[in-house]
Amino acid sequence: MKDLINKIKTDGIALNEDVLKVDSFLNHQIDPVLMKNIGDEFAKHFKDLNITKVFTIESSGIAPALMTSLKLNIPLVVLKKQLPNTLIDGYYSVPVKSFTKNSIYNLTLSKKYISKDDNILIIDDFLAYGEATLGVINIIKEAHANIAGIGIVIEKSFQPGRKKLDSLGYNVYSLARIASMSKNKINFIKEE
Ligand code: 5GP
């Protein structure tokens, strides 16, 4: 997606070969026009799959996922990284290793917001090792719902997440695919 790739080129900062800082437009300060365009693009790509809900993880996935769910006119469900005190009904919970914090959190979802009839689109800001996405997948599978597709804003294709999801047969659509990074240089996989 051209405007996203241009934004990464102008405003993204490769902290090293592994971590990209995008906090001026995606996860600290947020560019609403870019988020709207991202939502429109995901909605266009997945529109024929009869999706019933969009799922994401707090907090960086919320902006692009909300715009996608708005365009598809379906609910957005935000999976929590901690068990909220208010979650007194039944819930699903799986441990996930955090890429950015190098720690484990418990990805949590109330049983109220998923049913076996759901056909779900997962949206997340980054795909690195795939741990976060696989955590969401495991919860959806536990609830016997279906995964229609996975939409990623920024995929670091040189890390193993994309290969893992492809090998499991998931329908993955990434808007920007980074082939490699070094300080001051970000190389993208060419768009077809
Ligand atoms: P994974 O579970 O695929 O290893 O990592 C995905 C999660 O880690 C994303 O939800 C995102 O929040 C965070 N993440 C992974 N790589 C990066 C990165 O390069 N920059 C930022 N800002 N977050 C990242």
Side-chain angles (χ1 to χ4, degrees):
M1 188 181 152
K2 277 222 160 49
D3 47 351
L4 171 65
I5 290 173
N6 287 339
K7 191 74 167 175
I8 296 170
K9 282 181 180 163
T10 54
D11 295 10
I13 300 167
L15 294 181
N16 50 46
E17 291 179 359
D18 291 323
V19 181
L20 178 66
K21 193 169 148 87
V22 288
D23 67 352
S24 66
F25 61 94
L26 185 55
N27 54 22
H28 196 0
Q29 174 171 267
I30 294 177
D31 180 335
V33 175
L34 181 62
M35 291 309 123
K36 185 181 178 303
N37 294 342
I38 286 171
D40 289 352
E41 180 61 28
F42 280 139
K44 189 171 92 185
H45 186 82
F46 290 108
K47 69 178 182 334
D48 297 327
L49 298 185
N50 296 318
I51 292 160
T52 59
K53 287 184 179 178
V54 175
F55 272 34
T56 194
I57 301 177
E58 64 175 354
S59 58
S60 311
I62 295 176
L66 180 63
M67 291 303 170
T68 309
S69 66
L70 180 65
K71 189 71 181 181
L72 290 170
N73 196 22
I74 52 175
L76 167 65
V77 176
V78 180
L79 278 72
K80 306 285 188 180
K81 287 182 175 168
Q82 273 173 352
L83 188 59
N85 292 337
T86 49
L87 196 51
I88 46 176
D89 301 320
Y91 58 85
Y92 298 104
S93 187
V94 298
V96 169
K97 188 168 184 300
S98 164
F99 175 86
T100 39
K101 299 200 173 71
N102 201 19
S103 59
I104 306 268
Y105 61 86
N106 285 312
L107 193 64
T108 302
L109 168 70
S110 166
K111 289 190 174 176
K112 273 199 306 198
Y113 300 122
I114 189 166
S115 86
K116 64 174 179 28
D117 300 325
D118 275 321
N119 190 36
I120 295 167
L121 172 62
I122 301 170
I123 299 284
D124 205 4
D125 60 338
F126 272 95
L127 179 60
Y129 284 73
E131 299 291 320
T133 307
L134 286 167
V136 182
I137 288 172
N138 286 337
I139 285 188
I140 294 172
K141 281 167 109 180
E142 216 181 314
H144 303 290
N146 188 55
I147 297 143
I150 298 167
I152 300 293
V153 179
I154 303 173
E155 172 189 308
K156 289 180 291 175
S157 311
F158 57 91
Q159 289 167 341
R162 177 64 188 256
K163 279 199 194 77
K164 282 188 206 166
L165 298 178
D166 282 346
S167 70
L168 292 168
Y170 290 109
N171 175 9
V172 183
Y173 180 47
S174 301
L175 300 184
R177 304 187 69 200
I178 297 177
S180 64
M181 298 190 310
S182 58
K183 273 200 167 173
N184 309 322
K185 183 96 184 86
I186 303 168
N187 302 306
F188 292 87
I189 293 180
K190 294 250 172 330
E191 280 185 283
E192 280 122 45

